[in-house]
Every structure is written in structure tokens, then in C-alpha cells.
Amino acid sequence: ADVQLWAAQRTNESAQIALMNPGGLRADMTYASSANEGDGVLTYREAAIVQPFANTLVTTQLTGAQLAQVLEEQWQPAAASRPFLRLGVSAGFTYTYDPNAEPGSRIVEMQLDGAPIAEDATYTVVVNSFLASGGDNFATLAEGAATQDTGQSDLTAMVDYLAEFGTVSPDYAQRAVGVDWVSDPATEYA
């Protein structure tokens, strides 16, 4: 998601948040050499194995309420093959959720760069073309306004990012935090 936000901002400076579907990455990107290219070198072929779909990156405008609905759609319909599909989110965007709450009220709080997401405010969101069309039951993404294709594929974005920044390490920051009360819910916690 971080790579896709960086890439989209090259053509749309107003891009604020990127969301990545869990099936969009098909393999790990490792530091160790897989052939004779040397440790820390990622070949184009290796990158294509990680992101084999050549989806384009799309920006769309969503209200805070729509963004919350997109996050609610991580809990898939009963007939879906997987009950939950966690979206990857870009740095700066965080949210808390209650996995035991009723559908439609699981998302407790969302923030962008430490500021609360307002239900009626508009945010420019980057997703791949699969998600932008409502793929994986993320129907709300297809309802965005001012939707534009950036002309960049997710694979090209990854290759360009690595060319720009070299070897990168994954960010293990927890951007989605589940809140499940196991004690007295009337008690206050910090």
C-alpha cells in the first residue's frame, strides 16, 4: 500500500490513503539471492512473481463514511470462500475495529496522520483496478467519485519504487487494531 500511494502521488498529488487487497501479492520478496544476481537484488521476474496481475493503480474519492464501509467489507458475505479479507493500508492511516460488533458497526475509529477521519469529508484513495471495480466484494470502492486510472501498473510501481529507494525493509507498524473487551466494558482504559 505504501508503494502504491507513493506511485499514485506522482500523477495525483492529492492521493492520501492506499488500500491493498491481500491476494494482490502472491509471493514474498526476499533479500536472499534466488539465482546468481546477488543478495538484495530483485530481478524484474522476481517482482512479477510477487505481483503477477498487472493491475493499474486507480485514484478515487471516498467520503469518510464510505471509507468505513470499505473497511466493514473486509468481513465477507456468508457465501464467500474466505470470511475475512484484511486490506493493507498505507502509512499514516490507522483504524480500530471491534470484531465482535454487529455488521456495519465494527469500525470504531479511523485516523489519517493522527487526525480523525470525518464521515462527511472526502479523501482521495488509491487502489488497484481490481479493487476499484469492486473485486473481492469491496463494492463500495466502485462507488467512488472522480475515479481516475493513473496509467501505472502495480508491478511498475514496485519496480520504480525499488529503483528510487533501493533495498527496503518491511514496516511492521500495526495500522489496524482490533479491540475486544475481555473484562468490564464500563471500565475506562487509556
Side-chain angles (χ1 to χ4, degrees):
D2 293 339
V3 169
Q4 292 182 4
L5 180 60
W6 170 84
Q9 287 174 336
R10 295 188 298 181
T11 57
N12 184 343
E13 292 178 1
S14 66
Q16 300 167 284
I17 300 167
L19 305 174
M20 177 69 188
N21 59 315
L25 301 175
R26 293 299 180 153
D28 289 335
M29 194 175 292
T30 61
Y31 180 80
S33 176
S34 64
N36 295 323
E37 77 272 7
D39 287 349
V41 175
L42 181 73
T43 67
Y44 189 86
R45 179 179 182 188
E46 290 168 333
I49 290 169
V50 173
Q51 284 189 297
F53 301 108
N55 288 305
T56 57
L57 302 182
V58 174
T59 58
T60 192
Q61 292 181 353
L62 299 175
T63 65
Q66 286 175 309
L67 189 54
Q69 181 57 38
V70 168
L71 295 176
E72 284 282 343
E73 291 167 352
Q74 294 176 109
W75 286 267
Q76 296 283 289
S81 61
R82 295 173 288 174
F84 185 78
L85 295 177
R86 181 178 308 280
L87 292 169
V89 301
S90 57
F93 179 70
T94 59
Y95 67 97
T96 58
Y97 63 93
D98 180 350
N100 297 315
E102 291 296 317
S105 60
R106 292 182 182 111
I107 304 307
V108 177
E109 180 185 44
M110 300 178 296
Q111 293 187 353
L112 180 58
D113 298 324
I117 295 283
E119 270 194 17
D120 58 348
T122 301
Y123 301 89
T124 302
V125 178
V126 181
V127 293
N128 64 38
S129 52
F130 172 73
L131 282 177
S133 67
D136 275 343
N137 299 306
F138 288 99
T140 304
L141 287 170
E143 299 171 4
T147 301
Q148 293 184 321
D149 193 305
T150 67
Q152 302 176 76
S153 76
D154 51 7
L155 174 58
T156 301
M158 180 63 71
V159 170
D160 289 353
Y161 185 88
L162 292 172
E164 175 90 12
F165 298 104
T167 303
V168 295
S169 297
D171 179 356
Y172 293 110
Q174 190 169 357
R175 299 174 186 166
V177 177
V179 177
D180 186 19
W181 295 108
V182 293
S183 61
D184 181 5
T187 303
E188 292 186 16
Y189 298 89

